[in-house]
Amino acid sequence: SSDLFIKINICRCFMEILYKVHNNLYVNLTNRCPYACTFCLRQTMDRIGESDRLWLEREPLAKEGIDEFAKFNMEDYDEVVFCGFGEPTEAFDVLKEVASYVKKTYNKPIRINTNGVGNLINKRDIVPEMEGIIDTVSISLNDPDKKRYNELVRSKFGDESFDAMLSFAKECTKYIPNVVLTTVDTTISHEEEAQCQKICDDIGAKYRIRPWEE
């Protein structure tokens, strides 16, 4: 029976769909990502925030994601964030279904943390499909220089990734109330941060410098 208990707990860890970070509830739907970023936390750890293990045994179905919310007191959380150990738009159709449920049932602000190449991943413009469901899209800008960006993210889509990310961000400003492009504190110079601010100003998005390992 103790072996069974261990197996059950291992399965539960592999399917850790929801986890807490600060006052927010994060949703882990996929481990797939078209990027192999040089700075990715997945290279050195298997958990973030109050999670046990974010590597999934398999990708959850929408119903499995939805059912997990009943285990949490949603009044305790400020925001629901789609961000796990993968690029959330890799599981975009499941994400939409889960996000719609959360919005209707709990009326919580919903954010997606993304690398911004969801249109390339899904081979279509997914941005209009987020209208009315997603309140904030936070896109990793990483670096203002296209060549340096491509070196950092090592995208399977190659050199088109930087332009696709900026195009996605601009498109988001038409449908999403809050569009934020981010870089990580201490990873680029103040001069480069000023260049990032200009990029955001041109797009009509906000710029945020976030702490390392947030």
Side-chain angles (χ1 to χ4, degrees):
S1 61
S2 63
D3 287 346
L4 180 62
F5 176 78
I6 290 166
K7 283 178 184 173
I8 289 169
N9 273 280
I10 286 170
C11 287
R12 189 177 297 149
C13 286
F14 284 160
M15 286 297 288
E16 188 161 21
I17 301 167
L18 302 184
Y19 63 105
K20 182 183 176 185
V21 180
H22 306 305
N23 293 322
N24 298 329
L25 193 59
Y26 278 54
V27 189
N28 181 39
L29 294 179
T30 182
N31 292 153
R32 288 179 290 153
C33 185
Y35 283 10
C37 296
T38 56
F39 51 83
C40 185
L41 297 174
R42 303 196 307 179
Q43 297 175 52
T44 54
M45 60 179 71
D46 59 8
R47 55 181 293 278
I48 299 168
E50 295 180 29
S51 62
D52 291 319
R53 190 175 190 274
L54 293 176
W55 292 111
L56 294 162
E57 184 182 71
R58 60 174 174 79
E59 292 192 2
L61 303 171
K63 186 181 185 305
E64 290 174 308
I66 286 166
D67 289 347
E68 285 295 303
F69 284 89
K71 300 174 185 177
F72 292 80
N73 180 2
M74 294 303 291
E75 291 180 10
D76 293 344
Y77 302 99
D78 298 332
E79 192 176 28
V80 172
V81 184
F82 285 85
C83 175
F85 254 21
E87 165 51 41
T89 60
E90 286 274 12
F92 184 66
D93 292 331
V94 172
L95 183 157
K96 274 196 304 179
E97 199 172 331
V98 175
S100 295
Y101 169 82
V102 171
K103 182 59 74 180
K104 285 175 194 164
T105 310
Y106 304 109
N107 196 29
K108 287 284 177 185
I110 297 175
R111 165 166 43 113
I112 296 177
N113 289 356
T114 177
N115 57 27
V117 291
N119 290 348
L120 293 180
I121 291 167
N122 291 280
K123 298 183 175 64
R124 69 179 193 270
D125 181 7
I126 63 171
V127 177
E129 299 171 47
M130 296 191 279
E131 187 174 21
I133 307 171
I134 308 302
D135 301 286
T136 300
V137 173
S138 179
I139 302 164
S140 299
L141 176 55
N142 296 314
D143 195 283
D145 179 73
K146 180 176 179 175
K147 184 174 182 292
R148 178 69 182 135
Y149 173 91
N150 290 327
E151 288 169 355
L152 284 171
V153 304
R154 299 183 294 191
S155 170
K156 76 173 191 181
F157 298 113
D159 291 350
E160 66 180 314
S161 301
F162 184 77
D163 293 335
M165 176 267 296
L166 293 182
S167 175
F168 178 85
K170 190 166 187 176
E171 180 80 352
C172 280
T173 63
K174 302 174 191 172
Y175 298 94
I176 312 294
N178 194 25
V179 181
V180 186
L181 273 65
T182 68
T183 57
V184 177
D185 188 22
T186 72
T187 60
I188 58 176
S189 69
H190 292 310
E191 183 185 355
E192 288 166 326
E193 287 172 351
Q195 291 168 8
C196 290
Q197 182 66 64
K198 185 179 186 309
I199 288 171
C200 292
D201 291 343
D202 291 344
I203 288 171
K206 294 172 186 169
Y207 177 45
R208 179 170 173 251
I209 302 165
R210 57 190 175 88
W212 174 252
E213 263 187 51
E214 185 179 53

